[in-house]
Amino acid sequence: MNSLAKAKPDGYTLGTVATSVLLVGPQIRKTSYNTLTDFVDIIAIAKYTFALAVRSDAPWKTYEELIEWSKRNPGKFRYTCVGVGVTQHIAMEQIAEREGVKWTLVPFKTTGECMTATLGGHVDAIVQGPIDIVPQVQAINSKCY
């Protein structure tokens, strides 16, 4: 990122950057570049989709119900994702700020640990990509019939 920021803006130097490098890096250490002014996006080559999945026995069946419950029970909704400061965590905190709720992150090191904690009822929800969540939802739904 330092080399990219210092390169001449002549169109010959390009870089590919993960979102976390721009969002998290400057929050945890001093950088010699400003992520808002030193770079120009020219194309998105990948987009990440995350989903919030709650346990099948959760009392909330809609997003609206979850938000209302969280407003009445500050900090009691516990969700998990792979670490503090990752994109999923930042997204959940943005939602909390926008909706006026407070919830609790229970971070784990791996997606497997997050999934196990959710399925085991140790947390209320997981925030992860559909590739990790959809097979579990399908497995649970197939048992419901």
Side-chain angles (χ1 to χ4, degrees):
M1 292 305 299
N2 288 326
S3 296
L4 191 59
K6 292 176 185 174
K8 282 199 265 184
D10 57 10
Y12 289 99
T13 303
L14 300 175
T16 56
V17 181
T19 305
S20 60
V21 172
L22 298 175
L23 290 176
V24 180
Q27 306 304 317
I28 60 175
R29 70 177 154 277
K30 185 172 172 54
T31 61
S32 64
Y33 53 85
N34 182 320
T35 59
L36 300 175
T37 60
D38 290 344
F39 306 101
V40 176
D41 293 334
I42 58 171
I43 189 170
I45 57 172
K47 289 192 177 188
Y48 302 105
T49 300
F50 295 112
L52 173 66
V54 300
R55 296 187 337 263
S56 61
D57 63 346
W60 330 280
K61 301 302 178 201
T62 67
Y63 175 80
E64 291 78 13
E65 289 175 358
L66 171 61
I67 295 302
E68 284 306 312
W69 187 90
S70 296
K71 285 179 179 179
R72 289 190 313 271
N73 300 279
K76 291 188 179 179
F77 177 76
R78 298 165 301 136
Y79 73 96
T80 186
C81 65
V82 289
V84 175
V86 297
T87 307
Q88 299 97 309
H89 176 218
I90 292 169
M92 287 296 287
E93 291 308 309
Q94 287 176 326
I95 293 168
E97 186 175 309
R98 183 184 69 226
E99 298 288 355
V101 300
K102 182 178 183 340
W103 37 46
T104 302
L105 168 64
V106 180
F108 287 97
K109 291 182 180 180
T110 69
T111 301
E113 291 172 314
C114 293
M115 190 64 68
T116 300
T118 306
L119 293 172
H122 305 288
V123 295
D124 300 307
I126 182 173
V127 183
Q128 194 56 31
I131 196 155
D132 299 307
I133 293 174
V134 169
Q136 299 301 326
V137 172
Q138 290 171 332
I140 290 168
N141 285 339
S142 70
K143 294 176 184 175
C144 294
Y145 299 106

